[in-house]
């Protein structure tokens, strides 16, 4: 209720300043900044830690058998597809055919990468096999994010002046935003998928876990969650959501259009997505 009131620009009488700011945070996290649509719950950044700790923990636990590798990579990329679509930049509609093609391509790429790397690590130390999920996730992010946001690469994303006045659409800004998101997502996965495997590889050699193998999965999920609590906000903050780009780096047509409207503008802003 507070969120809807804030979006309408009307404050309920009696609200304190802290309550208004709280309402703004809730509103910003629940609604897409460009389309104004309410984002599905698991597509919001607030769902990243609980969802990713479960999925990533299972990927790191069940990495030995091909069926479980395929299943958890599919679950992970399905979740990533929802997140990438929900946090895209711009308000250009995407057809169901484009979404379906992007989803199938990204999921297939992730599974193929995981299985290919898994086969390469058969003759390597056991610890090497534990890093296969991370390599697959990093590669899949480079596939999934651009594919799920391919419409931005075709028609561009809105760029605005400092006051938020829309100046046009830019493919160059879209490319920069997508690269920033890919870097953030890969960095976000590094602590959660690199630290727990080393710890678990040591713990599984101890008698405590040998006698209690059922503790392996929940312990792994807990370690991943602990890492994600810190990595998620830090990596989301690597690049500001309202990013900027110099006018000289934009497409010639858009650059000319902006200079005709306001010659004094040197930097424009855009929503890079998350």
């Amino acid at each position: 209720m507070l969120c809807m009131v804030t979006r309408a620009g009307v404050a309920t009488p009696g609200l304190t300043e802290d309550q208004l700011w709280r309402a703004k945070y809730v509103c910003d996290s629940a609604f897409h900044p460009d389309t104004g649509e309410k984002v599905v719950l698991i597509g919001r950044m607030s769902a990243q830690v609980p969802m990713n700790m479960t999925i990533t923990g299972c990927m790191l636990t069940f990495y030995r058998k091909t069926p479980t590798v395929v299943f958890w990579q599919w679950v992970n990329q399905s979740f990533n597809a929802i997140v990438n679509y929900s946090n895209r930049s711009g308000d250009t509609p995407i057809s169901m055919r484009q979404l379906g093609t992007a989803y199938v391509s990204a999921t297939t790429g992730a599974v193929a990468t995981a299985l290919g790397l898994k086969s390469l690590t058969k003759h390597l130390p056991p610890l090497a096999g534990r890093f296969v999920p991370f390599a697959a996730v990093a590669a899949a992010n480079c596939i999934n994010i651009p594919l799920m946001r391919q419409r931005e690469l075709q028609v561009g994303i809105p760029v605005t002046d400092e006051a938020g006045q829309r100046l046009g659409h830019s493919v160059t800004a879209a490319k920069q935003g997508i690269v920033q998101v890919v870097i953030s997502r890969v960095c976000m996965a590094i602590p959660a998928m690199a630290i727990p495997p080393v710890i678990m590889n040591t713990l599984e050699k101890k008698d405590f876990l040998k006698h209690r193998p059922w503790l392996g999965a929940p312990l792994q999920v807990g370690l991943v969650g602990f890492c994600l609590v810190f990595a998620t906000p830090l990596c989301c903050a690597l690049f500001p959501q309202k990013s900027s780009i110099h006018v000289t780096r934009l497409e010639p047509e858009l650059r000319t259009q902006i200079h005709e409207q306001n010659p004094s503008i040197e930097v424009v802003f855009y929503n890079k997505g998350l």
Side-chain angles (χ1 to χ4, degrees):
M1 184 64 180
L2 285 177
C3 183
M4 297 304 294
V5 169
T6 304
R7 285 174 61 80
V10 180
T12 301
L15 286 180
T16 65
E17 184 177 341
D18 288 342
Q19 288 174 319
L20 284 173
W21 276 109
R22 172 61 181 168
K24 173 176 168 49
Y25 295 147
V26 172
C27 183
D28 289 345
S29 68
F31 291 85
H32 192 279
D34 294 326
T35 66
E37 298 173 351
K38 190 174 182 179
V39 177
V40 63
L41 185 61
I42 65 171
R44 302 175 194 174
M45 280 295 127
S46 56
Q48 282 289 294
V49 172
M51 291 297 296
N52 268 330
M53 68 182 286
T54 303
I55 297 172
T56 303
C58 289
M59 282 196 296
L60 293 175
T61 301
F62 308 111
Y63 68 93
R64 292 184 177 91
K65 296 182 180 180
T66 298
T68 54
V69 169
V70 172
F71 175 76
W72 285 109
Q73 284 294 334
W74 168 73
V75 170
N76 185 52
Q77 291 312 309
S78 297
F79 170 65
N80 283 343
I82 294 172
V83 173
N84 294 335
Y85 174 76
S86 300
N87 295 280
R88 67 196 184 281
S89 177
D91 51 12
T92 303
I94 304 174
S95 70
M96 291 304 296
R97 182 177 180 179
Q98 289 174 318
L99 281 176
T101 301
Y103 169 70
V104 171
S105 301
T107 305
T108 302
V111 171
T113 302
L115 293 179
L117 291 173
K118 182 176 179 295
S119 65
L120 293 175
T121 59
K122 286 182 179 178
H123 305 294
L124 296 177
L127 182 59
R130 291 180 179 271
F131 289 99
V132 167
F134 167 68
V137 166
N141 274 324
C142 298
I143 301 171
N144 196 319
I145 295 172
L147 282 175
M148 292 304 295
R149 296 175 59 173
Q150 60 181 291
R151 190 67 178 162
E152 299 173 33
L153 299 173
Q154 296 170 349
V155 301
I157 58 175
V159 293
T160 68
D161 59 19
E162 194 169 5
Q165 183 68 34
R166 187 172 293 195
L167 302 171
H169 286 72
S170 171
V171 172
T172 301
K175 292 177 181 177
Q176 178 172 294
I178 289 173
V179 168
Q180 290 175 343
V181 171
V182 170
I183 293 172
S184 295
R185 295 287 187 83
V186 172
C187 290
M188 193 184 298
I190 290 175
M193 302 192 78
I195 297 174
V198 175
I199 296 175
M200 291 302 298
N201 192 62
T202 302
L203 292 179
E204 286 179 359
K205 296 175 183 178
K206 306 294 184 181
D207 290 339
F208 181 78
L209 274 187
K210 284 182 179 180
H211 296 143
R212 300 170 183 82
W214 53 272
L215 274 177
L219 183 56
Q220 186 113 251
V221 170
L223 288 170
V224 170
F226 178 78
C227 293
L228 285 173
V229 165
F230 298 98
T232 300
L234 287 173
C235 293
C236 282
L238 284 177
F239 306 99
Q241 185 169 358
K242 185 180 178 181
S243 291
S244 61
I245 184 171
H246 203 280
V247 173
T248 56
R249 295 181 56 193
L250 298 174
E251 297 87 332
E253 302 84 0
L254 180 57
R255 189 165 61 237
T256 301
Q257 177 183 323
I258 292 173
H259 281 156
E260 288 176 353
Q261 294 177 12
N262 190 338
S264 65
I265 295 179
E266 296 183 356
V267 177
V268 295
F269 301 88
Y270 63 91
N271 168 34
K272 73 170 177 61
L274 288 171

